[in-house]
Amino acid sequence: MTETISNNEKSFNILNKLILNGFYDGNISPNRIEFERKKFPSILSVSNHRIIGILNDENKFELGFDFKFPLNIAVKIAIGIGIIFSIVSLAYGNWLLPIPFFIVPFLITYIDFKIKKKKEINLLTSKFLELYKSEYE
């Protein structure tokens, strides 16, 4: 089930307040929203992810999660190299070599990505609902 945000004036006001209050950096357009969570300045608090909302046929933004610019290309290249490495290793009869070098790191990254996706989208929707209730109820 994908999380959605309605495309109406109230939602745009709440999304703008999320940016103005300093919870998120991002931009809002009529058919797309993009948010990055602001973190306090620190070496360890680098955010490499963003939340993307794309307008669907029901006039709602479907929330998705993605890596930011340089990292999204690097991840795709690394996955491509890993797949090629695995195929070549399997072709030469090295059945165990792809497991520690590709499959295990890929699964760890995939599971970590899914956990962060759920956490970040839940955080955005809870902040959104909190501001919505304080403004319009």
Side-chain angles (χ1 to χ4, degrees):
M1 179 176 155
T2 60
E3 297 285 333
T4 60
I5 294 178
S6 308
N7 183 16
N8 57 32
E9 191 65 35
K10 290 179 183 179
S11 296
F12 278 117
N13 289 339
I14 300 298
L15 293 173
N16 279 325
K17 286 189 182 196
L18 285 172
I19 293 173
L20 292 175
N21 289 342
F23 295 118
Y24 289 95
D25 282 332
N27 52 10
I28 302 168
S29 67
N31 58 358
R32 182 181 170 97
I33 57 175
E34 187 173 316
F35 287 111
E36 298 171 14
R37 188 160 56 120
K38 274 192 174 181
K39 298 211 177 190
F40 296 108
S42 170
I43 295 172
L44 300 175
S45 67
V46 177
S47 177
N48 292 325
H49 301 92
R50 63 185 177 174
I51 298 173
I52 300 171
I54 300 174
L55 197 64
N56 64 9
D57 295 336
E58 299 170 355
N59 202 24
K60 292 183 179 182
F61 290 105
E62 288 184 8
L63 297 179
F65 194 67
D66 193 14
F67 289 108
K68 285 181 7 183
F69 166 62
L71 193 59
N72 64 353
I73 295 172
V75 166
K76 290 175 186 173
I77 291 172
I79 288 173
I81 290 172
I83 290 171
I84 292 171
F85 172 74
S86 297
I87 291 171
V88 169
S89 294
L90 293 173
Y92 282 114
N94 296 330
W95 294 94
L96 296 177
L97 196 59
I99 293 171
F101 288 112
F102 177 68
I103 295 172
V104 172
F106 175 75
L107 287 176
I108 291 171
T109 305
Y110 180 75
I111 292 168
D112 180 54
F113 183 79
K114 289 295 183 182
I115 291 171
K116 284 182 183 179
K117 174 183 178 179
K118 184 174 177 118
K119 176 187 163 195
E120 292 292 329
I121 289 179
N122 285 341
L123 186 65
L124 174 70
T125 55
S126 66
K127 287 284 187 189
F128 180 84
L129 289 174
E130 179 182 312
L131 283 174
Y132 188 86
K133 287 179 181 178
S134 68
E135 287 288 321
Y136 296 106
E137 290 184 4

